Each structure stands twice: as structure tokens, then as C-alpha cells.
Amino acid sequence: MAKPRIDHDRLFKELLSTFFEEFLLLFFPNVYEHIDVRHLSFLTEELFTDVTAGEKHRVDLLVETKMKGEEGLIIVHVEHQSYAQRTFPERMFLYFSRLFQKHRRRILPIAIFSYDEHHDEPSSLVVQFPFLTVLDFRFLTVELRKLPWRAYIRHDNPVAAALLSKMGYNEEEKVEVKKEFLRMLVRLELDEAKQRLLFGFFETYLRLSEEEEAKLRNEVSQMETKEAKQVMELIVSYEQRGMEKGIQQGVKQGMKQGRQKGIEEGKIDIAKKMLAKGYDVDTIHELTGLPAEKIEQLKK
């Protein structure tokens, strides 16, 4: 079965538009110092056609702001391609030049490289002759896979928390990365909508197996008592939401196909998984609707 396609553009756009100030503070504090964050607005995304290649390219985020009283623009482009692209600096320059032609303001371009491989990405485009430099175009970059994730876990920054899932960890560190993400989420004390945004982003890019989830629970249980309780509540909360969503989808599918038996079997399968994870009978009954007696039988 083919993997579901990930809408990278939507995920990054939601994250950065919600936490743009935090994004600048995390990666470009010197830029943040020069921007009046009271004047941030997100403009309609721009679509450009590369006439020579016949391809369409979209600027992911176009932010209007004020820099020392002067209106300006910030381009943020997220690059997901997993292969090195020699023409990428040219594309950034085209975005810049066409926006400058339209808006006639100072523009700050930023590129985020989010793929999993390691590349040495250029951050400039130079056109020169032996006797003259015609163009020296530069842009800011963030290469996520090159960032050491441990260096960001002490930042009480929601962007840092979400992007742990795209930083430079190895397979053996996945459980620890998620544990630190959950600890950050607890410390941030965000409202439910923002918390859900971060959790959804993280889970899209870093998902644990059942064995790894069990290991995570074990490590959380060994943490300091108060923090362990808060992190475990977070884990259970999102697992329950996932279960509820799965049940709702199963019921809808079963009703659509007219198979009541299939609905019941789906609930039993979910109940077995919840029992394996240590959920009590009352919680399983509440989420699945199965009789408590039936759930007790499944325990045997």
C-alpha cells in the first residue's frame, strides 16, 4: 500500500504563520531585533512560472512587516526536494526580483531546507566577470537536518519543539526525541489548538512503533513525579483522541458498507490494543461503547 502523501507546504505554512515571531527569535535573533512585530501580516501567496523550464513555483510564506519604520517584506521558502538543486539560488533570486518588481520594497529572503539528506546548500547567487561583479545575491538559510536536536530542547519555543522531528537525530534516538518534545510541550502551556498543531506536525515526521511507544512510557514513568504525570497525561490524551477518531471512522465506514459485524469487530480490535497498552475497562467502555463484560472477557 502506498504511503499517504504528506502536504509539507500546508504543515510548514501553518506552523510558521502561527509562530512566525518565535521562528525569527529561534533562528534569526538579529533579524528579530530590527522588526516591529506589532506589524506582521501574511499576504496572498505568490505563484511564479519559470518560463525556461515551464514549471510553476510557489512562495510558501510572504510576510509583510515594518523594519525600523519602513515597510518591508520577508519571503520564506520551504524546500522539500531530497536532491541537490544547482538552480535553487536562481529560483530564490527570481522570487526576490519579481516580488521587488511588484512591491518596490526591501525584501529579506529566507530558505528552509527540510529534507532528510545532508547537502551543502548554497546561500548566494553571484554573477561576475573578471572586471565586474554584476550580481551578489544572498539569502538566509536553515538546514534542519544539520541541526543538533539536543541543542534546542532547552528553548521554550514552540517552533523548536515541532522541528525536533526534522533535525539531526538517528533511529536509536527517536524515543528520546519524542520524550523531550513532550516535555517541551508541557512547559510551553499552550492552548489546545496550538498544542494540537505542534503535536500533529511532530507526529507527521516522527512516528514511533508500538515497541518504541512502550519504551517511551517506561522512560516517562522514571521521570520526576510531577513532570512524569503531566507528560503521561499528554500521551494518554492524544492516544484517546486518536482512538476516538479511529472509532468514528470505523463506524462511518461500517455504516456506509452496511456491515454491523464489521463495526463490532473494529471496536473489539481497538479494545484489545487499548488493553495491551494498559487502559482500564471504564475508559475502554467510554471510548468504544463495548459492554464492560465484553471487555473483561477480552482480558482473559
Side-chain angles (χ1 to χ4, degrees), residues 34 38 51 108 136 144 173 183 239 263 267 271 293:
H34 294 276
R38 295 172 301 174
V51 177
L108 176 66
D136 187 358
L144 292 175
E173 295 176 313
R183 295 178 72 185
E239 280 188 349
I263 296 173
K267 289 182 177 182
E293 298 78 13

Side-chain angles (χ1 to χ4, degrees), residues 84 115 118-122 143 146:
Y115 41 72
H118 286 260
H119 300 308
D120 291 323
E121 293 293 348
E143 295 182 63
K146 288 185 177 181

Side-chain angles (χ1 to χ4, degrees), residues 190-221:
L190 300 169
D191 63 54
E192 185 178 341
K194 290 180 178 178
Q195 189 181 85
R196 190 163 59 244
L197 188 160
L198 296 183
F199 202 98
F201 186 100
F202 185 92
E203 287 273 296
T204 299
Y205 293 110
L206 195 160
R207 189 172 291 275
L208 301 182
S209 65
E210 287 190 13
E211 293 77 13
E212 289 169 331
E213 287 287 356
K215 183 180 177 183
L216 172 65
R217 283 171 170 266
N218 182 55
E219 291 190 9
V220 169
S221 67

Side-chain angles (χ1 to χ4, degrees), residues 41-197:
S41 59
F42 299 91
L43 305 185
T44 304
E45 58 191 8
E46 302 274 346
L47 185 66
F48 298 125
T49 301
D50 185 333
V51 177
T52 57
E55 298 177 349
K56 290 184 177 181
H57 303 292
R58 191 180 301 277
V59 173
D60 296 295
L61 209 61
L62 190 57
V63 186
E64 185 175 42
T65 183
K66 289 190 175 182
M67 306 171 76
K68 291 186 175 180
E70 174 189 345
E71 292 184 350
L73 293 175
I74 299 176
I75 309 169
V76 179
H77 175 76
V78 182
E79 185 56 47
H80 310 288
Q81 298 287 1
S82 60
Y83 53 87
Q85 299 178 76
R86 291 182 296 106
T87 61
F88 182 78
E90 294 178 19
R91 283 170 52 195
M92 284 297 288
F93 175 68
L94 287 175
Y95 297 158
F96 174 89
S97 58
R98 292 176 187 180
L99 284 170
F100 183 80
Q101 182 181 28
K102 178 178 179 179
H103 297 279
R104 298 289 173 157
R105 316 178 192 171
R106 289 197 294 177
I107 298 171
L108 176 66
I110 302 173
I112 303 174
F113 297 99
S114 66
Y115 41 72
D116 294 333
E117 289 76 12
H118 286 260
H119 300 308
D120 291 323
E121 293 293 348
S123 58
S124 65
L125 174 64
V126 178
V127 178
Q128 61 184 0
F129 297 93
F131 50 85
L132 178 67
T133 297
V134 176
L135 174 68
D136 187 358
F137 171 70
R138 300 174 184 276
F139 51 94
L140 298 174
T141 63
V142 180
E143 295 182 63
L144 292 175
R145 196 60 177 167
K146 288 185 177 181
L147 300 179
W149 67 273
R150 293 181 190 277
Y152 289 85
I153 59 177
R154 297 303 171 201
H155 290 266
D156 287 333
N157 186 305
V159 176
L163 292 181
L164 287 182
S165 61
K166 296 295 292 178
M167 293 183 185
Y169 57 85
N170 57 46
E171 284 295 308
E172 291 71 31
E173 295 176 313
K174 286 171 62 179
V175 172
E176 192 175 357
V177 174
K178 183 168 182 180
K179 181 178 70 176
E180 294 300 336
F181 163 73
L182 292 168
R183 295 178 72 185
M184 293 174 75
L185 215 53
V186 167
R187 293 199 307 269
L188 286 167
E189 298 182 340
L190 300 169
D191 63 54
E192 185 178 341
K194 290 180 178 178
Q195 189 181 85
R196 190 163 59 244
L197 188 160

Side-chain angles (χ1 to χ4, degrees), residues 181-283:
F181 163 73
L182 292 168
R183 295 178 72 185
M184 293 174 75
L185 215 53
V186 167
R187 293 199 307 269
L188 286 167
E189 298 182 340
L190 300 169
D191 63 54
E192 185 178 341
K194 290 180 178 178
Q195 189 181 85
R196 190 163 59 244
L197 188 160
L198 296 183
F199 202 98
F201 186 100
F202 185 92
E203 287 273 296
T204 299
Y205 293 110
L206 195 160
R207 189 172 291 275
L208 301 182
S209 65
E210 287 190 13
E211 293 77 13
E212 289 169 331
E213 287 287 356
K215 183 180 177 183
L216 172 65
R217 283 171 170 266
N218 182 55
E219 291 190 9
V220 169
S221 67
Q222 298 176 34
M223 290 162 48
E224 186 271 326
T225 307
K226 182 180 178 182
E227 186 181 31
K229 183 175 183 293
Q230 291 174 312
V231 172
M232 191 60 74
E233 286 175 351
L234 203 57
I235 293 173
V236 171
S237 170
Y238 278 93
E239 280 188 349
Q240 287 181 345
R241 289 178 193 177
M243 292 290 185
E244 288 171 347
K245 185 177 180 182
I247 291 165
Q248 290 168 2
Q249 289 175 344
V251 170
K252 286 180 181 178
Q253 185 66 19
M255 290 176 68
K256 183 178 180 182
Q257 296 175 355
R259 294 205 302 255
Q260 189 62 36
K261 183 180 178 182
I263 296 173
E264 193 71 14
E265 288 175 352
K267 289 182 177 182
I268 290 171
D269 184 54
I270 290 170
K272 287 179 178 178
K273 290 179 180 178
M274 293 179 75
L275 284 169
K277 290 191 174 185
Y279 284 92
D280 59 68
V281 172
D282 289 340
T283 300

Side-chain angles (χ1 to χ4, degrees), residues 24-41:
L24 290 181
L25 269 170
L26 183 66
F27 293 118
F28 306 109
N30 58 328
V31 173
Y32 179 82
E33 290 178 6
H34 294 276
I35 289 178
D36 186 349
V37 293
R38 295 172 301 174
H39 297 88
L40 286 178
S41 59

